[in-house]
Amino acid sequence: MVTQGNRLGTITVVAGLLISTTAMADTLKVGVVGPMTGPLAVMGEQWRHGIETFMELNGDTAGDTTIEVVYRDTMGNPANAKQMAQELIVRERVQALVGFGISPSAAAAAPVINEVQIPTFLPHVASPALMEASPYFVRLGQNIATNAQVAAKWARENGMESAYVAVADYAPGHDVANAFKPAFESAGGTVTGSDNVPLSTVDFSPFAERIAEAQPDMVQLFIPPGAQAVSMVKALAARGMMEDTLIMGQGEAEDSDIHLFDGTIKGFHSAIYYSESLDNPENAAFVGGLQAKFGEDVLPSTFTLGAYDAMALIYAVAEEMGADFDGDAVMEKLSGYSWASPRGKITLDAESREPIQDFVIRRVEDVDGQLRNVVVDTIPQVHPISGS
């Protein structure tokens, strides 16, 4: 039921949007909403890196339209996401949104986004089911169920007969487990055990001990990056598993975070859609631009890339449509749209609004005295899998 207060809130939002499309016809304002401070601040920082790198390389105009970016901080709290999105739309009069970072934040803001029909670009929101919340969402990161399926198929193709699944005990971890298990088993493999690891875990040795006792050919992980991922890898290494077992994850050891690990991370594999070492002109420009602006030691992550590619889409649409970002017209323009990204060719699936893209299998190796993710295989043009 819509209350009078809800109606008034909706009218205010729509009025703000109408003002924005008339009073600022030559300027397109892009609102970035997400964690700029707090425990997830690295995500917001790396989005800023991606956005500012793109604008450094391409200028602040698309055709005759000036692009202006405005940031709002959720501090990592999903409860703030709706308020920040509405503030950007009403007060700042933005015509496009970027960000949110975690699925609950994007889901919280979806009603406002749907009401004003504002195109919203998600650099790194991974829940398979999230896209159902808004027809104006465009995913530029990963549907983590797809990553897990890619990992399962690749492992079976490379002789892994048995697997153990250890994932963080929250929705994304469950999505990984629920996608990996049937994919691995349907390809003839056996899942010998699984663990849901509480997010509060500090001591990972009991989990590593159970995994070692099961003696699987491979371990599928999904552990939050940072201290927990480091501790889990060390616990597995202490039992000799990094040497004789395929340990595979997703974003636990991103290039930008790999300095957190010691040499025990060598041999760690990941199934993901980007590596800093990809050899193409777009990636050379991306990495070069990033390091020229932020320092030669700064490495890109999938967070950086997602925001960079979000700006690429916004610029492409603005060049053709100007600042008149009618939501339905933008989504029609982007349906099936293809472009050359630092990750390679991407096509937005016309129905799911998710990227059809190459996936890479990376292995951590010592490269000239530094730990790096090295691409050992490429799976071309993977379609996202559905999941809810």
Side-chain angles (χ1 to χ4, degrees), residues 2 13 20 40 60 145 155 183 211 245 247 262 306 310 313 365:
V2 179
V13 171
S20 74
L40 300 176
D60 64 356
I211 294 169
T245 306
I247 309 298
D262 59 21
L313 286 185
E365 297 180 1

Side-chain angles (χ1 to χ4, degrees), residues 94-255:
V94 302
Q95 295 112 298
L97 289 171
V98 175
F100 296 103
I102 57 176
S103 300
S105 291
V112 172
I113 290 164
N114 294 343
E115 186 65 37
V116 297
Q117 303 175 353
I118 190 166
T120 300
F121 302 87
L122 306 174
H124 205 275
V125 178
S127 169
L130 179 73
M131 301 301 283
E132 299 173 7
S134 175
Y136 301 98
F137 282 162
V138 177
R139 197 196 302 271
L140 288 162
Q142 61 188 2
N143 168 336
I144 55 172
T146 305
N147 297 54
Q149 187 181 68
V150 167
K153 290 183 176 180
W154 188 85
R156 284 294 298 129
E157 290 169 359
N158 285 271
M160 302 299 109
E161 298 289 342
S162 61
Y164 198 105
V165 180
V167 298
D169 190 12
Y170 72 130
H174 303 162
D175 289 332
V176 168
N178 292 338
F180 179 87
K181 291 177 184 178
F184 193 76
E185 291 172 345
S186 67
T190 301
V191 175
T192 60
S194 63
D195 275 316
N196 292 328
V197 182
L199 287 172
S200 59
T201 299
V202 176
D203 180 10
F204 287 84
S205 56
F207 298 100
E209 187 65 36
R210 275 198 295 276
I211 294 169
E213 289 176 358
Q215 298 184 327
D217 295 327
M218 75 162 294
V219 179
Q220 172 64 45
L221 292 179
F222 182 83
I223 303 295
Q228 288 190 313
V230 172
S231 296
M232 183 61 159
V233 168
K234 285 185 175 181
L236 292 170
R239 286 151 185 81
M241 298 198 71
M242 296 299 295
E243 297 176 0
D244 56 16
T245 306
L246 173 65
I247 309 298
M248 179 169 280
Q250 297 181 22
E252 289 83 356
E254 283 292 272
D255 290 311

Side-chain angles (χ1 to χ4, degrees), residues 300-385:
S301 70
T302 52
F303 297 146
T304 322
L305 175 67
Y308 184 92
D309 277 335
M311 296 305 290
L313 286 185
I314 290 168
Y315 271 56
V317 175
E319 186 145 356
E320 181 174 320
M321 299 175 57
D324 183 14
F325 251 47
D326 174 81
D328 290 328
V330 171
M331 300 312 294
E332 183 176 354
K333 165 71 176 174
L334 293 177
S335 178
Y337 184 80
S338 294
W339 76 102
S341 160
R343 69 185 90 177
K345 178 186 176 182
I346 308 179
T347 301
L348 287 178
D349 183 82
E351 294 191 6
S352 70
R353 293 158 280 117
E354 299 199 43
I356 300 168
Q357 59 190 334
D358 293 349
F359 268 70
V360 292
I361 305 299
R362 308 179 306 188
R363 181 174 61 229
V364 176
E365 297 180 1
D366 190 321
V367 179
D368 298 329
Q370 293 185 312
L371 295 172
R372 285 288 185 271
N373 282 294
V374 176
V375 175
V376 296
D377 204 353
T378 301
I379 300 92
Q381 297 300 283
V382 175
H383 287 248
I385 68 170

Side-chain angles (χ1 to χ4, degrees), residues 17-104:
L17 186 65
L18 292 175
I19 291 170
S20 74
T21 59
T22 57
M24 305 183 65
D26 297 323
T27 298
L28 173 64
K29 295 186 76 172
V30 178
V32 181
V33 55
M36 309 298 164
T37 59
L40 300 176
V42 65
M43 187 180 296
E45 178 187 22
Q46 291 177 8
W47 291 347
R48 189 185 292 270
H49 284 177
I51 290 167
E52 292 186 9
T53 297
F54 186 90
M55 297 184 76
E56 186 75 18
L57 293 174
N58 295 276
D60 64 356
T61 59
D64 296 327
T65 302
T66 299
I67 309 296
E68 181 181 344
V69 180
V70 184
Y71 293 86
R72 286 292 184 275
D73 182 13
T74 66
M75 297 177 286
N77 185 349
N80 297 332
K82 182 177 181 179
Q83 177 188 344
M84 294 297 101
Q86 186 159 335
E87 181 177 310
L88 283 167
I89 295 165
V90 176
R91 295 185 184 177
E92 298 293 343
R93 305 174 184 175
V94 302
Q95 295 112 298
L97 289 171
V98 175
F100 296 103
I102 57 176
S103 300

